[in-house]
Amino acid sequence: MKRAAFLLAAAMALLSAVPALTRAAAAAPLPRFHVAFTSEVEAEPFTGRVLVYLGRAGDGREPRSGPNWFAPQPFFALDVKNIKAGETITVGGPNTKRFPRDLKELPDGPLLAQAVLDRNVGGESRVGAGAGNGFSSPVALPPTGSEPVRLLIDKTVEPAAFRETARTKDVVVPSKLLSDFYKRPTVMRAAVVLPEGYAAETARRYPVLYAIPGFGGRHFQAEGYSGLYTSGPAAPKMLFVMLDPDCATGHHVFADSASNGPRGRALVEELIPAIEKQFRAIGKPGARFVAGHSSGGWSSLWLQVTYTDTFGGVWSTSPDPVDFRDFQRIDLYAKDANMFRDAAGKPRPIARRGDTPVLYYQQFSDMEDVLGRGGQLASFEAVFSPRGRDGQPRPLWDRVTGAVDPETVRAWQKYDIRLKLERDWKTLGPKLAGKLHVYTGGVDTFYLEGAVALLKESLTKLGSDAKVEVIPGKDHGSILDAAMRERLAREMAETLKKNGVDTEAAGTPRSPAVSGR
């Protein structure tokens, strides 16, 4: 699993230099924080989570932009109930959660602290930057922890604004399905990048590629992301639609679920028809593709195998686990499966640089537990798990021991793509002929190649013509090199031609910018 509020390029750069989380030398004792919020931020008594993020002074980023997956600074969280504006909230006492879990002292400074009130009203995964959440100004920590640090939450995160251009358009579609589920008005968002010549070719209709970014990616990055598929000499001329998979629990992967609602149905029944009516799409399955990377790679493959009559082909790269026998090297179906430690008792890594582990499951799980919501691992539970007695997604693993719950695993089986294909192949096989393309790197940064290899083995036994490949030497990001981008474009053009659709080349290349993990 792979997550944080980050662009993939930035995350990969951080892998090259991961500093120590804490340093004992010259370390300061843990401070306490006296936090309050103004009535302008929240007029009603607040029940929810208050967080205090730390960051290094002078790094050019506000602490609330964290935690960084690969080099997280310590941070704190406290759940409060019915706190009124102006009342003091003490973060740092015995009921405070902290990351790392065994934090005894802070790194050497200079450090900044910043408080966030997680109102969770904007439906976004990033707590520190979520629209509607309150936040304080960053405050420098004193050299000693003798005096409480006072933080006043007096600002509110404004919703991000979409900047339209002549060829990039914002799409907002009200969803009755999601509004009924959440019992409040809910919309779906996407961005459409028009092909060259669209304005002049008023009688022409186009094929459409629906693309889904990885964890942390949004439709705001559509113009850069489109370069992965719609530029270069082989790329067919298409409407490029970048979908927004972000939600309060993380990445909803366009799968219908108990916690996130009918996300797949809303896409297929509401958003796609609205887009294709507005932007002169051909509007037929043979001219409608889906693609994605990482969490978006899983999403796109799920959509293709679930809505076989809606999409005419999928191009999935570095997908999240597509076979739960290798959930980033964990066999969830194994007896006594454990997320934190392998059968030999060794810590399980969740990310690597080359062959060197740089991030471990337990550390990552601890970090998400303090964050509260919106984490990569927890987002899997929000999609795959039924709701527990408390109304929250049923946990897959014990947050202290790492033990996997077999009952929850059984509920997850409906989302195991390999298992779904095997169980329903008699029906699905003929409908998926010529449509499946799945590629990942042999040294994937997040250990995703094992599940893809198992999927390939299964599809081969089923007699599928799917193109499923593990590319030697490529990692999570480098899989999308120039050769792969050319290949994706060529295969899409060939599929359109086979389906009798105009394959005029798109034209001038653009530099791709991949977001998410």
Side-chain angles (χ1 to χ4, degrees):
M1 305 82 151
K2 328 88 210 94
R3 138 128 234 154
F6 44 10
L7 300 180
L8 178 65
M12 300 309 296
L14 285 163
L15 278 169
S16 63
V18 181
L21 185 65
T22 60
R23 284 179 262 178
L30 296 184
R32 291 200 177 197
F33 304 92
H34 283 181
V35 181
F37 60 88
T38 65
S39 58
E40 287 77 16
V41 169
E42 178 58 83
E44 301 297 325
F46 174 73
T47 295
R49 183 158 292 197
V50 178
L51 301 99
V52 175
Y53 297 86
L54 302 187
R56 293 206 175 275
D59 69 359
R61 302 176 64 194
E62 292 190 15
R64 67 186 175 95
S65 65
N68 174 285
W69 277 6
F70 299 102
Q73 291 290 343
F75 67 107
F76 308 84
L78 180 68
D79 291 325
V80 301
K81 187 174 182 179
N82 293 328
I83 300 295
K84 297 178 181 179
E87 291 184 4
T88 297
I89 304 163
T90 300
V91 178
N95 294 324
T96 298
K97 290 190 173 186
R98 62 198 69 201
F99 176 81
R101 188 187 297 270
D102 59 354
L103 183 66
K104 299 288 192 304
E105 50 195 12
L106 296 182
D108 57 335
L111 297 174
L112 299 175
Q114 189 171 27
V116 171
L117 194 76
D118 186 12
R119 299 177 65 237
N120 191 15
V121 295
E124 299 178 27
S125 64
R126 297 179 61 195
V127 175
N133 282 354
F135 64 99
S136 72
S137 296
V139 172
L141 292 186
T144 66
S146 57
E147 295 295 328
V149 179
R150 299 187 180 278
L151 299 169
L152 179 63
I153 298 174
D154 59 354
K155 290 174 279 292
T156 301
V157 180
E158 297 296 330
F162 191 96
R163 297 181 180 179
E164 288 196 341
T165 68
R167 289 183 51 209
T168 304
K169 305 299 179 182
D170 188 23
V171 177
V172 181
V173 174
S175 169
K176 183 180 186 305
L177 287 168
L178 294 175
S179 297
D180 289 347
F181 176 82
Y182 286 110
K183 296 180 173 54
R184 64 175 185 270
T186 304
V187 301
M188 291 176 290
R189 299 181 182 277
V192 177
V193 180
L194 305 174
E196 293 280 1
Y198 178 88
E201 299 169 329
T202 56
R204 180 172 179 175
R205 294 190 174 273
Y206 297 86
V208 186
L209 173 62
Y210 292 91
I212 307 166
F215 201 98
R218 303 289 305 274
H219 63 302
F220 298 103
Q221 295 103 28
E223 198 165 82
Y225 207 100
S226 67
L228 289 172
Y229 309 101
T230 62
S231 62
K237 206 168 187 178
M238 297 185 290
L239 290 163
F240 176 85
V241 179
M242 188 162 179
L243 302 173
D244 186 355
D246 192 61
C247 66
T249 62
H251 193 300
H252 58 63
V253 300
F254 291 97
D256 294 353
S257 68
S259 294
N260 295 330
R263 297 286 178 168
R265 284 187 58 206
L267 170 67
V268 170
E269 297 177 20
E270 297 175 327
L271 183 58
I272 287 178
I275 289 174
E276 297 192 351
K277 179 179 180 181
Q278 181 178 352
F279 292 100
R280 302 203 318 266
I282 292 172
K284 295 181 180 179
R288 184 186 298 120
F289 297 156
V290 63
H293 185 73
S294 195
S295 292
W298 190 97
S299 309
S300 59
L301 187 58
W302 175 261
L303 286 170
Q304 180 63 80
V305 303
T306 304
Y307 301 96
T308 54
D309 297 330
T310 298
F311 300 100
V314 60
W315 282 263
S316 168
T317 54
S318 302
D320 283 352
V322 293
D323 186 328
F324 293 170
R325 295 174 299 174
D326 192 328
F327 201 85
Q328 291 177 278
R329 294 196 166 180
I330 302 171
D331 181 356
L332 295 182
Y333 302 130
K335 183 180 179 181
D336 299 324
N338 190 286
M339 298 287 281
F340 296 163
R341 297 190 176 274
D342 63 19
K346 295 181 179 180
R348 289 191 185 275
I350 195 173
R352 62 184 167 182
R353 180 176 66 252
D355 292 326
T356 303
V358 294
L359 190 62
Y360 291 84
Y361 268 100
Q362 186 163 10
Q363 177 194 20
F364 203 73
S365 174
D366 288 351
M367 180 183 70
E368 289 195 1
D369 188 45
V370 179
L371 193 60
R373 65 173 182 86
Q376 171 74 82
L377 295 178
S379 79
F380 290 130
E381 290 173 327
V383 176
F384 304 150
S385 289
R387 288 184 176 179
R389 293 179 180 177
D390 59 358
Q392 299 302 309
R394 184 183 176 100
L396 175 69
W397 71 99
D398 185 289
R399 269 24 182 202
V400 176
T401 67
V404 172
D405 176 26
E407 185 177 343
T408 303
V409 172
R410 284 191 287 273
W412 278 36
Q413 288 183 353
K414 65 183 291 188
Y415 296 100
D416 184 327
I417 292 178
R418 183 270 312 174
L419 195 57
K420 177 180 176 67
L421 287 167
E422 288 182 351
R423 286 175 171 174
D424 301 330
W425 188 250
K426 184 176 181 179
T427 301
L428 295 178
K431 295 183 176 183
L432 293 173
K435 294 182 178 181
L436 301 180
H437 311 78
V438 184
Y439 307 118
T440 197
V443 286
D444 185 87
T445 309
F446 301 99
Y447 301 99
L448 297 170
E449 74 281 358
V452 171
L454 289 174
L455 177 66
K456 177 181 177 64
E457 178 183 302
S458 175
L459 286 169
T460 299
K461 291 179 180 178
L462 291 170
S464 171
D465 64 355
K467 295 181 179 180
V468 183
E469 295 183 24
V470 177
I471 311 297
K474 298 299 181 180
D475 62 24
H476 198 71
S478 64
I479 183 71
L480 287 168
D481 60 10
M484 178 55 70
R485 298 196 300 271
E486 174 67 19
R487 177 176 180 174
L488 298 177
R490 184 179 67 254
E491 289 177 348
M492 290 181 191
E494 290 170 352
T495 303
L496 287 172
K497 185 176 182 180
K498 182 184 68 175
N499 294 343
V501 180
D502 180 11
T503 57
E504 179 184 341
T508 307
R510 288 189 297 276
S511 298
V514 187
S515 97
R517 184 283 31 181

